[in-house]
Amino acid sequence: MSESDYIVSFKHFAETAQLIADTRSNSEKAEICAYYLKSLPDSANQKLAVRFFGEGAFAAIEKKRLSIGHKTIAEAACAFLELDYDYVFRACKTATGSSSEAIEKLMEAWPIGIQKRSPELHSLSEIAAFFVHLADIKSKEEKLRELHRLWSTLTPVEIKYAIRVMHQYSLRIGFEEKSILRAIASAFSQPLEDIRYAHMLTGSLEKTLERSGKDTLQEVQFSFFKPLAFMLASPLHTVQITDFSGFICEEKFDGMRCQAHIADGKVELFSRDLNPITESFPELQSFFLNRGLDQLILDGEIIVFKDDEILPFQLLQKRMGVKKPTKALLDEFPVAFIAYDILAEGKELLIKKTLSERKLYLETVSVTHKLPISLSYSVQTLDDVKSRFDIAREHGNEGLMLKRTDSSYEFGQRGNQWIKVKEPAGSLDTVLLYAHAGSGKRGGYYSDFTLGIRANHHKKNEEPYFVPIGKAYGGYTDDELRWLNKEIRGIILDRFGPTLGLKPQIVIELEFEEVQLNKRTKAGYTLRLPRFKAIRHDLSIYDVDNLDDVKKLYEAQLHRKRLKNFVEPFLIFPTA
Amino acid sequence: MIQFELEHAHGHGIVLPELKIGLDTRFSQHLIQVISHAHADHVPHKTKRPILASPATIDLMIARGFKGDYEKLDFYTPFETDVARITLFPAGHILGSAQIFIESEKGNLLYTGDFKYPASPVSEGCFFPEKPIDIFIAEATFGLPIYKWKPQEFLDKSIVDFAKKHLNNGYTPIFLAYNLGKGQEVMHALAKAEIPMTIHDAGFELCKVYEQYGFHLGNYKKLGDSSHQGRALIIPSNALDSGSVQKISKQKVAYVSGWAALEARRQQMIIDARIPLSDHIDFYELLRVVEQLKPKKTYITHSPNPDMVCYFLQKNGFDAQPLGEHERGEDS
């Protein structure tokens, strides 16, 4: 093996990934990756490396996928190792919390895994070519044969990372896109801000890297119909602020975030996860065009708005995901797009301008083209924030957004420039019914819990029985999680693979954002974002809330009296 | 065959009702209580009669505050009751740890307690009775084929390298290692490399017992005493959040445990290095030990996956079955 063969090998990549995984500091991780990128001889190898680090087997913009699931890989590994899936592999996976880590360890320790492999070096491009080859194979047997052929020439750590790359998701080394961009910036001595900007516009790590190498970052242009990453807000309780004078305040709509691109007689709407959702909202499409809007990118919210009132998110849900909605649906749940930011106008991207400047642009567009926009208010003290918050809640909105007037639009960032003020919709006393083994960083612990609500009435002499109402995987402290893991040992009724069925005993006060109707569940309702508020050692299963309580919360949410917009308005809806 | 039962469904202890012997039982119930080793999960709460354990186990228990009556029983020296003979064999887990061998008219039984084979370098070794075994009750904390320990020299080197590297860069290397057993293994490795150490106060007293029994643990002092500059620090995981440790601004943390084999522990514990040094037997050695002892019947206990180990033992032609279900708490 020559030094240069190793440099461009997948083994070098995998060992670098492991080194990054085994390093705690983010800046050190980025430096290790930068050093690795610099060691690679050319841009072709560097591009493959960043693809494998951040995008998977194929470049993100290729939209190509290896149609090979986790279960197939695990079965392929069991066949290779000659181990039983149900008896052996499942338990190994549960213990590690990661199928690929279990495979790595078995390849290293299990005698057959050792015997069947004689590692040799593969270049990054050979591995990339292998993925293309694998994607073209139709038959499952053939795929398994090819995987076995590859594995027989790899080391365990290479096998683990090859699997993670194939799954087209994070390598689980605590090194996400942000960090890869940092490494590229460091490797090519470019300003991080420029790298991030170029990456947002190219949507590709490989292209960003290529531009960085050639010093052509400035040439990257934005184009319409390619969504920009949304700027996000931090919750108020995570930031220490008492003086709000640098902020403006808007109501946080009870709707869905949306980015609208309007250009050349075309409209495209993108959801929070940057997927197109235009087809579900045809009236918005015609609305924008009828108002003569053009060459704009707007950030805002889709809400159900009727008779000068914002209607609950539950009703908007009836429109979400429905492509080509019927006229009846359109009439019953009419939606509006309320803009609160403007990201581009004409050929100019506005994201580097301050919020005050962008608001001026937006107001001009609103006046000229009768575009509905949110209204902002100034606040000084926490008391101002509180009184605004109460008004927002009376309108039926979720709470407030506080935004720094001098901030630029920090795409893809959750910083302290935008702050959200919310409070949980409610809480219920529930009982622990199932515990699910965690994966990733919660591997080896039961970390996800299904909570139950009482399904019969609180009568004397009647044993309570419970139906699931939600699954929570947060809100507890580390100590509470350890306590739960210890405690559930004694109350196991059943085992279903990584899931434990528990004797109802432990009462959990659950906090959530909202009660939603869900006909597919036994309870008929689900909770949005449920999380632990407290372990109620003081309560017994006889104190658990019942379905009537859930129903009451739901009805209260839906039918609560809403203040119309004209009282302390939160948006302007100009009529054409 | 000797009859036995679990003390209770999720507990540790095993009761031999006919012989009136309790192995690591919590409560005496008029039994002769034999204790395998000094970890808290094996030591009884209350005793009505003197407990029986190896001299080092008794001394460690006393150092940890045990106040009950005891009788020290040397390794390999039989203790006769009117119906049984009890003999202790070194278990290789920690100092004083013993496998308990019971012989009676009805046959014999070997209970491993926690054991490690090959043995921990700071223990009396791991040795088995030479007689054919009827009943073998073995712990399998790491009873999955993903667990195969690296050689002791490799792990010792990882410990020393971690300490040297960070001391050279002006950091305090912190080893998260359990106070009893693991801590002394780390010290043993660092002592050979002549690296000075600071020890958690509770561990300090236990180190003296190790020294009494002839294990050299190097140059060490108590955490409370003074500066940690230029020293490696050895503390249990729960002491990481304590004030005296938090105030060390430049620190690098290594987690030393069998559980450190799992990648998830990195994020769960916020550490700089994982050193998978266990004081339990691994899956492969366990299969080898059963192969070597060829017991008539094997029971697997103290394992999150007893079924799995039995599945492999049965495949190898042994009569094996799980005994209760446990999740490990204290040190591993």
Side-chain angles (χ1 to χ4, degrees):
Chain A
M1 164 180 109
S2 81
E3 178 69 17
S4 59
D5 287 343
Y6 175 74
I7 293 286
V8 298
S9 70
F10 188 72
K11 189 174 184 211
H12 186 199
F13 168 83
E15 287 173 351
T16 305
Q18 190 60 47
L19 187 60
I20 292 172
D22 288 336
T23 301
R24 178 162 138 195
S25 131
N26 283 332
S27 58
E28 275 178 51
K29 282 170 187 273
E31 279 318 301
I32 292 167
C33 181
Y35 183 81
Y36 166 70
L37 290 175
K38 279 191 280 188
S39 79
L40 296 173
D42 50 38
S43 140
N45 275 294
Q46 289 168 336
K47 279 161 71 180
L48 286 174
V50 293
R51 174 198 294 182
F52 290 163
F53 271 123
E55 297 184 343
F58 304 109
I61 44 172
E62 271 184 63
K63 307 261 182 230
K64 196 165 178 166
R65 287 280 186 277
L66 273 171
S67 45
I68 193 159
H70 293 253
K71 186 79 192 284
T72 308
I73 300 259
E75 282 170 356
C78 289
F80 186 88
L81 296 158
E82 300 171 32
L83 282 173
D84 187 84
Y85 181 88
D86 289 312
Y87 251 109
V88 184
F89 188 77
R90 207 193 289 274
C92 295
K93 182 182 150 189
T94 303
T96 56
S98 156
S99 182
S100 49
E101 187 187 343
I103 294 169
E104 175 197 27
K105 289 194 152 44
L106 290 168
M107 290 286 181
E108 196 168 336
W110 183 244
I112 295 170
I114 300 166
Q115 281 155 28
K116 281 192 182 169
R117 291 180 300 104
S118 34
E120 51 191 73
L121 286 182
H122 296 281
S123 67
L124 290 171
S125 49
E126 277 166 30
I127 296 292
F130 174 84
F131 292 142
V132 173
H133 167 65
L134 199 63
D136 290 340
I137 298 173
K138 293 279 178 294
S139 114
K140 188 173 165 184
E141 290 71 36
E142 179 74 16
K143 275 187 185 174
L144 296 196
R145 259 201 303 282
E146 287 302 290
L147 276 178
H148 287 184
R149 191 172 62 83
L150 178 72
W151 290 346
S152 67
T153 63
L154 298 180
T155 59
V157 68
E158 286 176 274
I159 293 175
K160 174 173 70 182
Y161 286 110
I163 291 171
R164 292 184 181 175
V165 167
M166 283 167 63
H167 279 146
Q168 211 88 16
Y169 60 60
S170 149
L171 293 185
R172 291 193 182 169
I173 55 174
F175 194 65
E176 308 302 322
E177 193 172 86
K178 243 163 108 175
S179 309
I180 301 170
L181 294 174
R182 198 164 158 182
I184 294 175
S186 163
F188 295 99
S189 309
Q190 299 279 5
L192 177 57
E193 194 53 29
D194 293 357
I195 298 281
R196 288 188 45 238
Y197 186 70
H199 179 251
M200 180 184 71
L201 298 178
T202 59
S204 153
L205 287 170
E206 293 184 42
K207 285 192 179 167
T208 305
L209 181 133
E210 198 167 30
R211 298 275 178 172
S212 315
K214 290 187 188 145
D215 247 332
T216 52
L217 283 172
Q218 313 309 328
E219 291 165 21
V220 183
Q221 290 291 317
F222 87 93
S223 63
F224 286 101
F225 309 114
K226 259 194 206 167
L228 310 178
F230 284 94
M231 179 165 176
L232 304 172
S234 301
L236 181 63
H237 64 85
T238 63
V239 290
Q240 306 294 327
I241 298 178
T242 46
D243 176 13
F244 295 91
S245 51
F247 291 85
I248 52 154
C249 148
E250 298 172 292
E251 297 197 5
K252 187 174 189 314
F253 300 139
D254 194 17
M256 75 184 283
R257 187 84 182 266
C258 177
Q259 192 177 104
H261 289 231
I262 309 147
D264 313 322
K266 245 182 79 185
V267 174
E268 192 83 273
L269 306 173
F270 296 97
S271 62
R272 167 76 174 70
D273 48 7
L274 307 182
N275 287 315
I277 48 167
T278 324
E279 280 185 63
S280 298
F281 304 102
E283 72 262 57
L284 293 180
Q285 217 171 342
S286 40
F287 180 88
F288 287 131
L289 296 176
N290 289 342
R291 304 248 160 154
L293 295 160
D294 198 18
Q295 307 279 97
L296 287 175
I297 301 178
L298 301 169
D299 184 4
E301 199 101 350
I302 297 177
I303 59 173
V304 180
F305 195 69
K306 208 174 180 179
D307 304 329
D308 202 35
E309 267 180 41
I310 180 167
L311 296 184
F313 180 73
Q314 286 89 339
L315 301 183
L316 179 60
Q317 277 185 308
K318 297 187 192 286
R319 292 286 307 272
M320 288 158 68
V322 180
K323 289 182 180 171
K324 305 208 176 75
T326 60
K327 179 152 188 320
L329 201 63
L330 289 172
D331 289 343
E332 199 183 349
F333 308 111
V335 300
F337 178 95
I338 314 300
Y340 43 67
D341 217 322
I342 179 165
L343 311 186
E345 188 182 22
K347 299 239 172 303
E348 199 187 353
L349 202 54
L350 303 173
I351 60 177
K352 292 200 171 168
K353 302 221 177 280
T354 65
L355 177 66
S356 309
E357 290 170 313
R358 300 200 306 277
K359 284 284 186 190
L360 280 178
Y361 277 89
L362 187 62
E363 278 156 26
T364 311
V365 173
S366 170
V367 170
T368 326
H369 296 279
K370 316 280 187 220
L371 176 74
I373 57 171
S374 70
L375 276 174
S376 35
Y377 293 87
S378 67
V379 275
Q380 306 286 333
T381 63
L382 194 58
D383 282 342
D384 295 348
V385 173
K386 279 179 183 154
S387 69
R388 276 283 147 212
F389 181 84
D390 292 339
I391 296 169
R393 296 291 294 168
E394 281 180 51
H395 279 132
N397 281 320
E398 283 188 336
L400 297 179
M401 292 295 297
L402 301 168
K403 298 176 177 175
R404 278 204 90 89
T405 50
D406 58 359
S407 62
S408 60
Y409 191 88
E410 295 180 347
F411 53 89
Q413 302 285 304
R414 190 186 297 282
N416 293 344
Q417 309 295 322
W418 286 14
I419 295 163
K420 55 184 170 188
V421 189
K422 273 167 69 170
E423 63 181 27
S427 72
L428 285 166
D429 294 325
T430 60
V431 67
L432 217 53
L433 292 183
Y434 299 95
H436 312 271
S439 63
K441 71 175 184 179
R442 281 163 170 175
Y445 277 103
Y446 288 94
S447 62
D448 301 3
F449 301 95
T450 299
L451 286 311
I453 197 93
R454 188 165 176 170
N456 55 352
H457 289 280
H458 292 253
K459 283 181 202 152
K460 277 182 186 167
N461 305 327
E462 196 183 345
E463 275 304 300
Y465 74 93
F466 304 97
V467 293
I469 185 73
K471 194 170 169 185
Y473 33 84
Y476 41 68
T477 63
D478 290 352
D479 282 343
E480 284 173 330
L481 184 62
R482 273 193 287 276
W483 182 86
L484 284 164
N485 272 267
K486 205 171 125 230
E487 209 60 20
I488 58 179
R489 292 285 131 205
I491 53 170
I492 301 168
L493 296 178
D494 296 296
R495 290 173 168 272
F496 319 92
T499 295
L500 302 179
L502 304 175
K503 179 172 166 236
Q505 182 172 311
I506 301 174
V507 179
I508 305 291
E509 185 177 353
L510 210 57
E511 196 173 74
F512 48 88
E513 290 305 306
E514 190 171 39
V515 181
Q516 296 175 338
L517 209 53
N518 188 337
K519 295 229 164 64
R520 284 167 302 176
T521 62
K522 268 190 211 160
Y525 298 93
T526 44
L527 305 177
R528 193 159 82 92
L529 294 180
R531 67 257 178 191
F532 281 48
K533 188 177 179 196
I535 300 174
R536 297 296 299 261
H537 302 282
D538 54 325
L539 297 183
S540 82
I541 55 166
Y542 296 94
D543 302 312
V544 168
D545 287 323
N546 73 25
L547 272 177
D548 286 346
D549 300 313
V550 180
K551 189 171 176 224
K552 270 182 221 147
L553 280 173
Y554 177 77
E555 300 282 330
Q557 244 166 237
L558 203 59
H559 300 302
R560 113 173 117 112
K561 187 115 185 68
R562 283 156 190 272
L563 206 57
K564 288 194 188 288
N565 180 50
F566 75 81
V567 195
E568 296 282 341
F570 57 94
L571 58 81
I572 310 174
F573 207 126
T575 41
Chain B
M1 295 279 231
I2 293 178
Q3 282 195 359
F4 67 91
E5 60 200 34
L6 287 173
E7 187 179 19
H8 69 89
H10 298 280
H12 279 92
I14 288 165
V15 177
L16 315 183
E18 297 165 328
L19 304 181
K20 298 207 165 34
I21 295 174
L23 307 174
D24 285 341
T25 47
R26 294 272 188 203
F27 303 100
S28 60
Q29 299 164 335
H30 311 292
L31 302 169
I32 298 173
Q33 273 178 291
V34 196
I35 301 304
S36 67
H37 67 287
H39 277 148
D41 54 347
H42 291 257
V43 172
H45 297 314
K46 278 186 192 161
T47 53
K48 285 187 181 156
R49 299 169 55 164
I51 60 149
L52 206 57
S54 74
T57 295
I58 298 286
D59 290 338
L60 287 167
M61 283 168 62
I62 291 170
R64 294 183 120 191
F66 177 74
K67 294 210 164 48
D69 288 339
Y70 56 82
E71 182 165 342
K72 289 181 176 177
L73 178 61
D74 284 320
F75 288 119
Y76 313 113
T77 310
F79 177 94
E80 307 279 352
T81 78
D82 35 356
V83 284
R85 169 185 291 167
I86 304 168
T87 317
L88 302 182
F89 287 82
H93 171 62
I94 61 169
L95 176 69
S97 66
Q99 307 184 66
I100 305 165
F101 187 50
I102 310 288
E103 295 165 278
S104 81
E105 272 179 358
K106 291 195 164 182
N108 68 35
L109 177 154
L110 179 65
Y111 164 75
T112 63
D114 286 352
F115 75 134
K116 187 181 182 189
Y117 187 79
S120 158
V122 281
S123 74
E124 299 85 345
C126 180
F127 297 96
F128 301 96
E130 281 174 13
K131 295 179 183 161
I133 308 289
D134 296 332
I135 296 174
F136 183 52
I137 302 176
E139 64 109 352
T141 302
F142 291 98
L144 285 175
I146 52 174
Y147 298 115
K148 183 181 178 184
W149 307 138
K150 300 230 161 47
Q152 188 73 41
E153 307 77 65
F154 176 90
L155 295 164
D156 281 355
K157 187 171 180 304
S158 311
I159 291 169
V160 171
D161 288 351
F162 182 85
K164 279 190 176 160
K165 177 180 159 194
H166 295 302
L167 283 172
N168 286 341
N169 294 335
Y171 284 86
T172 298
I174 300 180
F175 293 92
L176 301 182
Y178 192 64
N179 270 337
L180 172 53
K182 195 60 54 62
Q184 290 76 17
E185 286 191 42
V186 173
M187 293 171 75
H188 182 73
L190 293 174
K192 280 190 285 185
E194 295 181 346
I195 295 170
M197 295 162 264
T198 309
I199 310 301
H200 188 250
D201 295 7
F204 188 83
E205 298 305 317
L206 304 172
C207 293
K208 289 189 188 155
V209 181
Y210 272 76
E211 300 270 8
Q212 269 173 39
Y213 282 83
F215 292 98
H216 174 61
L217 299 176
N219 164 4
Y220 63 95
K221 56 175 198 169
K222 256 192 217 180
L223 178 59
D225 288 354
S226 58
S227 143
H228 316 300
Q229 200 60 38
R231 295 179 157 265
L233 181 57
I234 301 165
I235 55 170
S237 327
N238 57 16
L240 195 55
D241 298 330
S242 69
S244 47
V245 177
Q246 291 250 304
K247 72 180 179 208
I248 305 173
S249 56
K250 291 185 82 182
Q251 50 169 268
K252 293 282 180 184
V253 181
Y255 175 45
V256 190
S257 166
W259 300 117
L262 303 175
E263 285 191 344
R265 287 298 187 277
R266 168 174 309 286
Q267 292 124 318
Q268 287 159 355
M269 304 193 52
I270 315 180
I271 44 179
D272 297 289
R274 296 178 285 134
I275 301 177
L277 168 63
S278 174
D279 43 26
H280 291 265
I281 194 163
D282 75 19
F283 172 82
Y284 297 91
E285 292 294 350
L286 177 58
L287 296 193
R288 279 235 317 250
V289 165
V290 174
E291 196 72 49
Q292 181 190 324
L293 297 179
K294 297 192 171 44
K296 287 200 185 113
K297 178 104 190 178
T298 300
Y299 292 90
I300 297 298
T301 179
H302 294 171
S303 168
N305 301 91
D307 294 334
M308 162 98 39
V309 180
C310 294
Y311 165 85
F312 282 100
L313 289 174
Q314 286 157 6
K315 274 179 78 167
N316 292 352
F318 292 99
D319 186 353
Q321 88 181 55
L323 182 62
E325 188 170 308
H326 301 268
E327 193 78 356
R328 290 312 296 257
E330 218 184 346
D331 169 60
S332 294

